[in-house]
């Protein structure tokens, strides 16, 4: 059994310049895995808190005090690593160590184990239980051919909590190259649309500075409607038909607008308010007119029944929970029972550690809910989520289009694509290979 022989943590910075934690784990004295915890700006109320009181320093102290428990553990068994983490912090929500430490420890361990075993991280993760069983019973295709590429889903225009005053209230307008047959083409197409959108925005406002939001989407001074029109125009200028070669998506991040004391969604930048019924109509209207393939958090994070209404109206749209489901398997089960969504965002750090996130993925597979593995707005230049997206059978990988910390994930997909030659990874083992082509949407 491989065993952890060194562990070390340090304070580093994320893409927003905020302090976070990085953990290195070494297996058998030779194979080092490293992970940096990301962080969100539009954080769900049921998400795991990133750090305990005392911030990164307090998490580092816990790591140093408990290093002895980590030495000797099997880094390749995500469940066993979870057991070690739970010995350190048994309370739900990781109040002692913070979700960021659970994230960094569990991912650094898995990466070091994958290096030690000489296999890609997505394979090591895809073999973990209960995920492997849940995926193979959910999949119509043989288990040996279940890995496919998720469609990259990228932020092309940002507002809300990711950009400043004057930008749209809705948080993200997203592009997905739904007509692409290969991951290379899908990435290139998203880049073309992002670039054409800048031209469209500059044409209508010569004062547009080219400023971007936290995730690399353009941040123009436009309301929701005009922003979506500009995105649609960029696609059409390139000769694409919405719903065919490319499709648009929206992350409404509606909890940002929700004023619980008045039971109203307040769109203060555009200057209107919606009651819950009007919000359903508002979101439905945008989904229909812009032929959205993807609608995330179209209502606030506790409106399970309102989500179910949207879900029922649009069976072919990925009606997706993010703040609604917060990568929590129990909440996902509840959403599935109520028919609230047919897709859910998987962000490891919403849950805490990797084991929690893989349990969520297994719950998604059991309930027929499509997964969308996602970055956070405050990111690192690492690319573990490209592997997590493949391992969990995600339909989409929401990682942005441009910016070093976003492109890092896309570039990793391109590297993984090279493993497809021959039997998939070149090691003579035909099990669990990645097959040609994209996930089925
Ligand atoms: P966050 O936003 O990472 O800032 O929370 C991303 C999202 O809401 O999908
Ligand atoms: Zn979201």
């Amino acid at each position: 059994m491989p065993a952890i022989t060194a562990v070390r943590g340090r304070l580093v910075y994320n893409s927003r310049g905020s302090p976070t934690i990085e953990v290195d784990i070494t297996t058998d004295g030779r194979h080092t895995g490293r992970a940096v915890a990301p962080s969100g700006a539009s954080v769900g109320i049921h998400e795991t808190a990133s750090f305990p009181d005392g911030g990164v320093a307090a998490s580092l102290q816990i790591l140093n005090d408990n290093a002895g428990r980590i030495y000797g553990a099997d880094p390749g068994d995500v469940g066993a690593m979870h057991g070690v983490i739970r010995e350190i912090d048994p309370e739900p929500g990781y109040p002692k160590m913070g979700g960021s430490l659970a994230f960094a420890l569990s991912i650094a361990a898995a990466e070091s184990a994958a290096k030690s075993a000489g296999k890609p991280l997505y394979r090591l993760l895809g073999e973990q239980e209960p995920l492997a069983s849940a995926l193979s019973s959910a999949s119509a295709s043989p288990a040996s051919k279940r890995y496919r590429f998720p469609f990259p889903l990228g932020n092309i225009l940002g507002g809300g909590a990711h950009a400043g005053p004057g930008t749209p209230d809705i948080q993200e307008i997203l592009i997905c190259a739904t007509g692409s047959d290969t991951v290379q083409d899908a990435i290139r197409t998203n880049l073309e649309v992002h670039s054409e959108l800048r031209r469209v925005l500059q044409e209508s406002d010569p004062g547009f500075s080219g400023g971007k939001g936290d995730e690399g989407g353009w941040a123009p001074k436009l309301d929701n409607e005009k922003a979506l029109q500009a995105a649609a125009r960029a696609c059409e200028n390139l000769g694409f038909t919405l719903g065919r070669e490319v499709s648009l998506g929206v992350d409404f991040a509606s909890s940002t607008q929700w004023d619980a004391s008045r039971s109203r969604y307040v769109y203060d930048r555009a200057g209107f308010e919606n009651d819950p019924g009007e919000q359903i109509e508002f979101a439905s209207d945008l989904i229909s007119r812009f032929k959205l393939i993807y609608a995330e958090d179209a209502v606030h994070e506790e409106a399970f029944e309102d989500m179910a209404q949207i879900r029922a109206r649009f069976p072919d749209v990925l009606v997706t929970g993010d703040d609604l489901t917060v990568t929590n398997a129990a909440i996902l089960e509840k959403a599935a029972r109520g028919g609230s969504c047919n897709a859910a965002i998987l962000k490891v750090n919403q849950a805490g550690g990797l084991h929690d996130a893989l349990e969520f993925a297994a719950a998604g597979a059991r309930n027929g809910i499509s997964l969308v593995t996602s970055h956070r707005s405050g990111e690192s230049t690492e690319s573990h989520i490209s592997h997590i997206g493949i391992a969990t059978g995600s339909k989409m990988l929401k990682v942005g289009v441009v910016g070093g910390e976003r492109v890092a994930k896309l570039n990793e997909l391109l590297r993984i694509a090279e493993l497809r030659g021959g039997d998939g990874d070149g090691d003579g083992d035909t099990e669990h290979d990645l097959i040609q082509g994209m996930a089925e949407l």
Side-chain angles (χ1 to χ4, degrees):
M1 180 188 97
I4 293 174
T5 50
V7 52
R8 191 185 174 94
R10 64 184 67 81
L11 183 152
V12 296
Y13 295 92
N14 70 19
S15 59
R16 255 199 294 267
S18 308
T20 186
I21 194 166
E22 175 173 87
V23 171
D24 292 351
I25 285 202
T26 304
T27 295
D28 296 341
R30 283 189 296 146
H31 307 284
T32 299
R34 169 173 288 172
V36 177
S39 80
S42 62
V43 176
I45 50 174
H46 300 296
E47 277 192 39
T48 301
S50 295
F51 293 103
D53 290 345
V56 179
S59 291
L60 285 170
Q61 188 66 49
I62 296 281
L63 180 65
N64 291 335
D65 292 348
N66 289 280
R69 293 181 199 255
I70 299 164
Y71 291 126
D74 177 356
D77 181 338
V78 174
M81 276 308 295
H82 179 68
V84 172
I85 289 169
R86 279 303 183 202
E87 272 177 36
I88 302 170
D89 192 349
E91 295 291 315
Y94 306 99
K96 193 168 147 195
M97 64 160 59
S100 289
L101 177 53
F103 173 100
L105 256 179
S106 58
I107 293 190
E111 183 184 288
S112 80
K115 284 185 178 170
S116 151
K119 61 170 86 165
L121 179 60
Y122 75 82
R123 281 187 57 186
L124 182 123
L125 298 180
E127 288 161 7
Q128 304 291 319
E129 292 297 350
L131 177 66
S133 304
L135 281 174
S136 67
S137 48
S139 162
S141 51
S144 63
K145 292 208 164 185
R146 67 182 166 76
Y147 297 109
R148 286 172 177 264
F149 282 100
F151 278 91
L153 177 69
N155 187 334
I156 51 173
L157 198 157
H162 292 170
T167 60
D169 296 277
I170 55 177
Q171 186 173 279
E172 301 165 29
I173 298 176
L174 301 145
I175 187 73
C176 184
T178 40
S180 289
D181 293 331
T182 64
V183 70
Q184 293 89 342
D185 187 64
I187 292 170
R188 201 169 42 239
T189 302
N190 284 1
L191 281 163
E192 279 169 19
V193 174
H194 185 275
S195 164
E196 177 61 19
L197 179 54
R198 180 187 185 140
R199 239 186 38 76
V200 168
L201 293 169
Q202 261 163 348
E203 220 170 59
S204 63
D205 174 10
F208 176 58
S209 68
K212 301 194 201 97
D214 285 356
E215 293 180 350
W218 303 115
K221 295 204 168 189
L222 289 179
D223 64 20
N224 307 312
E225 181 76 26
K226 292 211 171 71
L228 272 159
Q229 282 167 1
R233 193 163 324 121
C235 297
E236 284 153 14
N237 286 355
L238 292 165
F240 298 140
T241 303
L242 286 182
R244 280 166 66 187
E245 294 89 354
V246 297
S247 304
L248 294 175
V250 167
D251 181 0
F252 292 83
S254 297
S255 297
T256 317
Q257 280 88 41
W258 178 242
D259 179 346
S261 65
R262 296 174 51 232
S263 291
R264 285 273 189 290
Y265 294 86
V266 181
Y267 287 79
D268 50 10
R269 298 182 189 174
F272 65 91
E273 294 187 9
N274 286 337
D275 67 24
E278 288 165 344
Q279 176 69 11
I280 293 172
E281 296 310 323
F282 167 72
S284 299
D285 176 58
L286 293 184
I287 293 170
S288 304
R289 278 195 295 123
F290 292 96
K291 299 190 174 65
L292 302 186
I293 192 182
Y294 179 90
E296 180 181 332
D297 284 343
V299 292
H300 73 82
E301 59 203 313
E302 289 178 315
F304 286 82
E305 286 169 18
D306 294 352
M307 273 289 274
Q309 286 197 38
I310 297 173
R311 155 95 181 80
R313 281 191 199 183
F314 298 101
D316 298 330
V317 173
L318 290 169
V319 175
T320 306
D322 171 16
D323 293 340
L324 187 87
T325 39
V326 288
T327 317
N328 179 308
I331 298 178
L332 188 65
E333 301 275 2
K334 173 182 166 186
R337 278 195 304 277
S340 301
C341 58
N342 56 11
I345 286 277
L346 184 152
K347 291 170 172 167
V348 176
N349 82 322
Q350 277 183 329
L354 198 44
H355 178 73
D356 307 293
L358 296 186
E359 284 203 317
F360 177 83
R366 281 197 304 273
N367 288 284
I369 296 199
S370 299
L371 291 176
V372 178
T373 294
S374 169
H375 63 174
R376 300 306 306 248
S377 51
E379 261 296 333
S380 74
T381 51
E382 292 176 344
S383 53
H384 303 109
I385 64 168
S386 307
H387 291 263
I388 294 169
I390 292 171
T392 55
S394 293
K395 302 277 186 205
M396 291 180 174
L397 186 68
K398 190 184 179 205
V399 289
V401 183
V402 299
E405 71 280 7
R406 316 291 153 190
V407 168
K409 283 72 170 163
L410 300 169
N411 286 344
E412 184 69 358
L413 291 178
L414 297 175
R415 292 182 201 106
I416 295 170
E418 290 180 5
L419 302 178
R420 292 181 310 174
D423 72 359
D425 65 3
D427 71 356
D429 175 358
T430 54
E431 272 183 40
H432 304 302
D433 277 354
L434 201 58
I435 60 170
Q436 290 279 345
M438 310 297 293
E440 276 164 39
L441 285 177

